[in-house]
Amino acid sequence: MKKTEIRNILIEANLNSFVIALFDEVEDLRNYNFYDCFRPANFITERFNEEDKQKYNLDRYVFLFETMDDNLEFLVYDRELKGYIRYHIDEARPFSNYEVLTWDGTFVQQFVTWYEDDHTDDEILKICDLFGLKYGREMLESIKENLGTSYTMEQTNHWINDTIEKINGRLKNK
């Protein structure tokens, strides 16, 4: 799939202009005091041969962004369910074994990272606004109230799952 086709999918999904600017590489998260972890993933699909295209079912699933350095994670769009998957390429699991999330649901786990990275409330709310996330303020209040400053991985996972449920962020379970 060509970069212009992927860009059109972002537009059809009604994502904020900031997301499209990230895809066009005219905007950068570092400009907002965040590390650059949202880069177009079109380079990976350019490397796929026909066997890979079949394996990844690229007619249905579209690699949008690299969300972790070194190709560790990608944001993939499910054209059928019109939702998003945080795909870990090294796990080699089929897309059908991942949960499909709404746009906001996709960012719940990322929200924890922003919180743990000691971003200010204003920085977090600004980035939520730029990404077009509807539940930024609610998530910020919830994470402070339910996790505070000291919590376990189990508590974090519970908060993530609970929050995804509260915002109706899950289109399909694993």
Side-chain angles (χ1 to χ4, degrees):
M1 184 170 276
K2 297 190 182 325
K3 190 170 182 171
T4 54
E5 293 171 297
I6 297 170
R7 187 180 194 280
N8 286 337
I9 288 170
L10 297 172
I11 293 168
E12 288 169 20
N14 202 28
L15 297 178
N16 270 19
S17 59
F18 178 75
V19 177
I20 294 165
L22 286 172
F23 185 79
D24 290 341
E25 299 180 271
V26 296
E27 193 59 89
D28 189 317
L29 289 174
R30 291 176 289 199
N31 296 337
Y32 303 90
N33 206 22
F34 287 78
Y35 54 89
D36 184 26
C37 62
F38 227 74
R39 293 178 295 277
N42 54 305
F43 68 91
I44 193 153
T45 55
E46 291 170 355
R47 294 187 215 157
F48 288 162
N49 59 32
E50 283 305 313
E51 184 179 320
D52 291 333
K53 290 176 185 177
Q54 294 297 320
K55 173 183 171 186
Y56 289 104
N57 191 5
L58 296 183
D59 289 333
R60 176 175 176 176
Y61 300 103
V62 180
F63 283 75
L64 300 176
F65 291 96
E66 179 185 10
T67 55
M68 289 178 72
D69 286 331
D70 300 325
N71 301 318
L72 294 177
E73 183 185 77
F74 292 91
L75 184 62
V76 175
Y77 184 69
D78 180 334
R79 295 172 92 172
E80 187 176 300
L81 295 177
K82 299 193 183 316
Y84 305 88
I85 297 168
R86 285 202 175 263
Y87 181 69
H88 302 271
I89 204 160
D90 60 336
E91 292 179 5
R93 289 189 297 156
F95 289 119
S96 59
N97 291 353
Y98 281 84
E99 63 184 356
V100 180
L101 303 168
T102 63
W103 183 247
D104 279 80
T106 303
F107 283 88
V108 173
Q109 185 172 353
Q110 183 66 51
F111 197 90
V112 173
T113 303
W114 294 337
Y115 182 72
E116 289 175 345
D117 286 348
D118 293 325
H119 286 287
T120 67
D121 291 3
D122 288 342
E123 288 173 329
I124 291 172
L125 293 174
K126 174 68 175 177
I127 207 73
C128 287
D129 185 50
L130 289 169
F131 273 111
L133 303 177
K134 300 173 195 163
Y135 301 99
R137 186 164 302 282
E138 290 89 340
M139 286 192 294
L140 187 58
E141 290 169 8
S142 173
I143 202 167
K144 287 177 176 183
E145 181 180 312
N146 294 297
L147 293 181
T149 57
S150 179
Y151 43 89
T152 65
M153 182 63 95
E154 183 180 325
Q155 289 170 314
T156 302
N157 289 336
H158 178 73
W159 182 85
I160 290 168
N161 286 322
D162 208 36
T163 302
I164 289 172
E165 286 300 317
K166 284 179 183 172
I167 67 170
N168 295 315
R170 190 173 284 116
L171 298 174
K172 178 189 117 2
N173 280 323
K174 296 178 191 178

